[in-house]
Amino acid sequence: DDSFDRLKHLQLRMEKGAEAGFATYQLNEVKLDKLPMKLMSNYTHEVLQGIDYAEVVEKRRTNYKMLHEALGAMNALALPSTNSFECPMVYPFIPKKCDIDLRKMLQEQRIYIATYWPNLAKLNYDTLEECLAKKIIALPIDQRYNKEDMKRIIEISK
């Protein structure tokens, strides 16, 4: 596939910040939903060749561990240690105390919280999957975040 026409959100993000490119990103997602499965573009292939995956894994595991050590006792989910899997994507968190809207608080502090399975989250908690889709706060731990970012997330989440 060619991807040049779907890169503008990345350029906007780099030049003006994440919020500047978000609307364009959402439009791209709608476009991609309508496309058939294709091979990746040459551009994407080249970009992926430049990633130090061992470093990415180490940063994600370190960030996960830091959040788990600070928030694990407050998490309604029983999560495994980082030794049980290769590389975490997020730190899934359901605060035992639900008297605050943590997702909203984090977003107000410009900490993006991805929403997974939005089609399930619109339902009425009839299944465990629907409940998890609505309640899990996917705390970011990816390689763009450092220890100071994790401390900030912990402070807001406590």
Side-chain angles (χ1 to χ4, degrees):
D1 190 24
D2 293 324
S3 60
F4 62 87
D5 62 333
R6 293 187 300 273
L7 298 174
K8 185 163 183 73
H9 73 283
L10 297 173
Q11 295 166 327
L12 285 167
R13 181 187 182 99
M14 288 182 75
E15 295 290 332
K16 298 184 179 185
E19 291 91 352
F22 190 67
T24 306
Y25 163 79
Q26 288 177 312
L27 291 173
N28 285 343
E29 288 295 303
V30 171
K31 288 180 195 175
L32 288 171
D33 281 344
K34 296 175 183 174
L35 292 176
M37 185 76 71
K38 296 181 179 184
L39 295 174
M40 76 173 71
S41 70
N42 290 331
Y43 177 83
T44 300
H45 181 71
E46 289 297 317
V47 168
L48 293 176
Q49 294 296 312
I51 295 173
D52 181 343
Y53 288 100
E55 183 179 337
V56 168
V57 169
E58 183 58 34
K59 283 185 177 181
R60 286 175 176 242
R61 288 171 63 96
T62 297
N63 288 342
Y64 179 99
K65 184 177 178 184
M66 191 170 175
L67 290 183
H68 192 55
E69 287 174 357
L71 302 175
M74 296 181 286
N75 197 343
L77 291 172
L79 299 176
S81 72
T82 55
N83 297 331
S84 65
F85 47 84
E86 178 64 28
C87 182
M89 186 172 83
V90 297
Y91 182 78
F93 186 59
I94 298 178
K96 287 180 181 176
K97 289 176 114 180
C98 294
D99 57 343
I100 58 166
D101 187 349
L102 180 58
R103 182 184 311 273
K104 184 178 177 186
M105 286 174 58
L106 290 162
Q107 289 172 337
E108 286 172 352
Q109 295 299 313
R110 300 185 70 219
I111 298 170
Y112 176 72
I113 305 299
T115 301
Y116 297 99
W117 319 290
N119 55 323
L120 288 178
K122 294 176 185 172
L123 303 176
N124 295 317
Y125 285 47
D126 290 340
T127 66
L128 174 63
E129 294 83 3
E130 293 168 38
C131 179
L132 292 175
K134 284 186 177 181
K135 290 191 172 191
I136 287 179
I137 300 170
L139 297 177
I141 59 165
D142 69 64
Q143 61 279 6
R144 297 171 294 175
Y145 294 88
N146 59 36
K147 288 182 181 181
E148 291 306 312
D149 296 318
M150 293 300 103
K151 287 178 186 175
R152 195 166 145 244
I153 290 169
I154 290 165
E155 187 62 34
I156 295 166
S157 300
K158 282 190 167 182

